Amino acid sequence: MKKKFSALILLCALLPSLGGCAGADYSSHISEERSDLFCAETEDFTLTLACVSREYPYLADGVACPRSDYVEVTLTGESEDGFEIGFTVGEKRYGGEMSFRNVTGDYFFSQGVSAFPEGTVSVSVTYGGETAELTATSVRTDETLTVEGALSAAVEAERETIENMGGKRFAGEFYVRLLRREKNYYYVGIIDTDGNTVSLLLDGESGAVLARRVTEGGR
């Protein structure tokens, strides 16, 4: 009887490891996340302000490095003199001249921050000698998945893929980005140490996989 009781204790101690990746926490392997988007629009331009946490160096190598927080602003519009952006997070004011990107045909500004805005953010846009003051509003709702929720949905959908990445110890990294079109979506990239990527498009509320693509490293 004593031997049976000892064996039962040993089995209970082993249960967490026998569970494999079913109970694993993969959040420490996120190397980039976009957790929120704030949108605003006028007759002259549209802008999106994104809350991004990204590793440095930023490499799709399957290894998640320490991250830093940024607010990234993208603006679509036309102005001969370009655009200058300003925004407030908490009690801090940030801003500067936006850079035009030839490839995407828009204007871009990135700023390291110590905190992200919540709900709304006050934004000023200066162009053509005028300044527009507006409020950008978060696209998130109570039904929108968190970054961790989206990652969990992706892990569940790609369990076999993830179990094959590194054997007993997971060897890979994740990109998790909130997207906005007519509704909210998530992009989740699962990247191995060879740079091979499984890309998933998830419904932003249910976590259902809407599209899947595999890209080999270097392509």
Side-chain angles (χ1 to χ4, degrees):
M1 182 68 181
K2 186 175 181 180
K3 289 183 178 180
K4 290 183 179 180
F5 183 70
S6 298
L8 180 60
I9 293 177
L10 178 61
L11 178 60
C12 290
L14 289 173
L15 280 177
S17 60
L18 291 175
C21 73
D25 178 12
Y26 291 98
S27 59
S28 63
H29 295 278
I30 298 176
S31 58
E32 182 189 43
E33 68 175 66
R34 183 193 297 153
S35 56
D36 207 348
L37 293 168
F38 297 77
C39 299
E41 183 176 4
T42 71
E43 293 182 354
D44 296 327
F45 61 82
T46 60
L47 71 82
T48 301
L49 186 149
C51 299
V52 178
S53 182
R54 182 182 295 121
E55 70 174 357
Y56 182 83
Y58 184 49
L59 297 171
D61 57 2
V63 179
C65 295
R67 298 179 295 173
S68 298
D69 294 337
Y70 302 89
V71 164
E72 298 181 343
V73 185
T74 304
L75 183 149
T76 302
E78 295 183 4
S79 171
E80 294 182 357
D81 300 325
F83 294 87
E84 186 173 322
I85 189 77
F87 57 92
T88 302
V89 180
E91 297 181 353
K92 290 189 177 182
R93 185 71 175 173
Y94 303 97
E97 185 176 350
M98 304 189 75
S99 300
F100 182 73
R101 301 189 294 188
N102 288 306
V103 175
T104 53
D106 56 17
Y107 290 83
F108 181 77
F109 178 82
S110 179
Q111 172 69 55
V113 295
S114 57
F116 288 136
E118 296 181 5
T120 61
V121 56
S122 298
V123 181
S124 65
V125 181
T126 302
Y127 63 108
E130 300 180 1
T131 298
E133 301 284 350
L134 56 158
T135 299
T137 303
S138 171
V139 303
R140 297 189 63 88
T141 69
D142 292 339
E143 289 73 36
T144 304
L145 289 172
T146 62
V147 166
E148 291 76 18
L151 177 60
S152 295
V155 169
E156 183 62 31
E158 292 291 327
R159 187 161 300 283
E160 183 176 353
T161 300
I162 290 170
E163 287 179 345
N164 290 331
M165 293 172 64
K168 293 183 179 180
R169 184 173 183 179
F170 176 72
E173 63 181 329
F174 299 96
Y175 295 166
V176 187
R177 303 170 185 153
L178 179 63
L179 307 175
R180 177 70 182 183
R181 297 297 182 265
E182 72 282 358
K183 59 178 291 186
N184 290 340
Y185 301 90
Y186 270 99
Y187 165 82
V188 179
I190 306 170
I191 305 155
D192 67 17
T193 52
D194 293 321
N196 301 314
T197 303
V198 176
S199 298
L200 303 177
L201 179 66
L202 307 182
D203 182 280
E205 296 182 1
S206 69
V209 177
L210 305 177
R212 182 183 190 271
R213 183 179 66 182
V214 178
T215 306
E216 293 184 4
R219 296 187 180 181

